Amino acid sequence: RARNGTFTGFDVDVATYLAGRLGVPRDRITFRATPSSVREKSLKDGTVDMIVATYSITAQRKREVTFAGPYYVPHQDTLVRASDTSINNVRDLRGKKLCEVTGSNSFRRVAEERGIAAVSVKSPSYSRCMDMLDAGQVDAVSTDDLILAGFAAGRSVKIVNAPFTDEKYGVGLRKGDLDGCEEINRAITQMYQSGHAARLLDKWFRSSGLKLATSVPQFEGCS
């Protein structure tokens, strides 16, 4: 997210490290906010060269995007108000108002893959979902635990800690950029083997209580 016009966060630090391994120093990186709904288009038309933004690798997206990585494998979980005792796992979302972010797969994973009849409340972003949760307009926000942990700080909310899917955060590249993909996979391997990934995870998520993986993820293979 942007603070004083600059972007900060785990993904920003990962992107900065990977770009550095590719020979691009920090002062030559331009970060652009790229919502879920326009990511494939932005890679196709060259608006961005690389997407490092909790971008889950899916079969549908792989038709349009070449993915390096994953650089991290989180799990989908659910965030509720701290006072809520009625939601303890994904099944408890039946009949509850669940935030659905445009372009994200998280709601579909609850409603279609798990067959749970949650009530969709549309939102343009997860930060807006958090405001809606605070205001009582939704009962829950369900997405990857790293995203939830990032938003939970300083709010009266809790992560249910009942994960129900593996996500795979990939580095999105223009379709067919296999050389770039292989190069980034080598950089990701180095990021973990050197201990840099563990330091970044600790820096951003230590206070959330999440169990963090610090070994090299299983790569998908470039295609």
Side-chain angles (χ1 to χ4, degrees):
R1 53 188 170 274
R3 280 201 195 133
N4 308 325
T6 60
F7 286 82
T8 62
F10 175 65
D11 287 328
V12 173
D13 284 353
V14 169
T16 302
Y17 175 87
L18 296 178
R21 299 288 304 179
L22 299 178
V24 180
R26 188 176 189 114
D27 60 5
R28 282 182 45 217
I29 302 170
T30 304
F31 286 104
R32 294 185 196 278
T34 310
S36 300
S37 52
V38 298
R39 287 178 180 173
E40 292 80 20
K41 181 179 181 298
S42 298
L43 285 168
K44 263 185 204 158
D45 64 22
T47 305
V48 297
D49 300 308
M50 185 164 93
I51 291 179
V52 186
T54 62
Y55 194 20
S56 296
I57 300 170
T58 67
Q60 185 178 357
R61 288 172 179 164
K62 281 170 88 168
R63 290 201 283 271
E64 299 181 66
V65 174
T66 288
F67 280 104
Y71 62 90
Y72 195 76
V73 181
H75 311 284
Q76 185 162 338
D77 212 318
T78 306
L79 191 78
V80 298
R81 285 181 289 278
S83 58
D84 190 334
T85 55
S86 68
I87 300 172
N88 299 297
N89 57 53
V90 67
R91 292 182 300 281
D92 292 339
L93 293 173
R94 185 170 282 104
K96 299 285 189 179
K97 288 181 287 195
L98 181 62
C99 207
E100 179 177 8
V101 173
T102 309
S104 168
N105 283 300
S106 299
F107 183 86
R108 191 180 59 76
R109 291 210 161 90
V110 173
E112 293 176 23
E113 291 179 13
R114 308 292 294 204
I116 291 158
V119 178
S120 165
V121 180
K122 299 278 198 298
S123 167
S125 68
Y126 280 105
S127 51
R128 179 78 190 100
C129 283
M130 296 306 299
D131 295 338
M132 292 161 80
L133 185 65
D134 286 344
Q137 295 164 326
V138 297
D139 300 309
V141 181
S142 182
T143 189
D144 311 343
D145 52 20
L146 283 193
I147 296 177
L148 297 177
F151 279 123
R155 291 178 186 262
S156 184
V157 294
K158 62 184 178 185
I159 296 176
V160 169
N161 271 316
F164 59 94
T165 67
D166 285 349
E167 300 300 311
K168 294 173 184 173
Y169 287 168
V171 177
L173 302 168
R174 186 178 46 75
K175 184 69 179 166
D177 184 6
L178 303 187
D179 290 345
C181 177
E182 298 288 0
E183 212 172 342
I184 289 170
N185 281 350
R186 285 193 290 275
I188 292 170
T189 301
Q190 178 62 28
M191 181 172 75
Y192 276 88
Q193 289 178 345
S194 67
H196 190 74
R199 286 192 293 277
L200 292 183
L201 287 161
D202 186 64
K203 170 185 170 184
W204 288 105
F205 304 111
R206 176 179 42 202
S207 64
S208 71
L210 275 184
K211 191 170 186 298
L212 298 161
T214 55
S215 54
V216 184
Q218 176 76 44
F219 291 153
E220 287 280 289
C222 300
S223 63

